[in-house]
Amino acid sequence: SLTGLALSEDGNRLYYSNSTNGIVEIDVSTSAAKILRTFSLPAPKVGGAPFPCGLAIQGERLFVAANRSNQVFELNLTDGQVVRAINT
């Protein structure tokens, strides 16, 4: 199940989160949309999947609300790595 969507500032990349642990980057710059890569988040301390739901983009950063972790993860879109976890 899809749980979040965000479009890059230039409109060429669409990011969506699913109900388990995935964030998917899609090239939507042409009519033949193509999956480019996926990102994973750290597992929550309570176990199970982090359940990423809300997404927001600022420049080369993707912010992801991880429901079961009670955290917001900041990802670097250049390399796909988690830069920091913000406790909520």
Side-chain angles (χ1 to χ4, degrees):
S1 298
L2 301 180
T3 56
L5 289 173
L7 187 64
S8 64
E9 293 172 1
D10 65 7
N12 291 328
R13 301 283 188 270
L14 177 67
Y15 299 87
Y16 74 82
S17 57
N18 61 38
S19 62
T20 55
N21 187 26
I23 299 156
V24 180
E25 178 183 41
I26 301 172
D27 181 347
V28 293
S29 63
T30 67
S31 61
K34 178 182 175 183
I35 293 176
L36 298 175
R37 58 185 170 164
T38 60
F39 308 99
S40 294
L41 298 176
K45 292 178 183 177
V46 297
F51 198 84
C53 47
L55 302 177
I57 294 176
Q58 182 181 31
E60 289 299 314
R61 298 286 197 235
L62 177 66
F63 295 87
V64 182
N67 192 10
R68 289 183 43 84
S69 298
N70 291 321
Q71 295 176 304
V72 174
F73 290 102
E74 180 180 348
L75 280 74
N76 180 335
L77 289 175
T78 303
D79 61 12
Q81 298 298 308
V82 173
V83 175
R84 67 178 167 155
I86 303 165
N87 293 319
T88 60

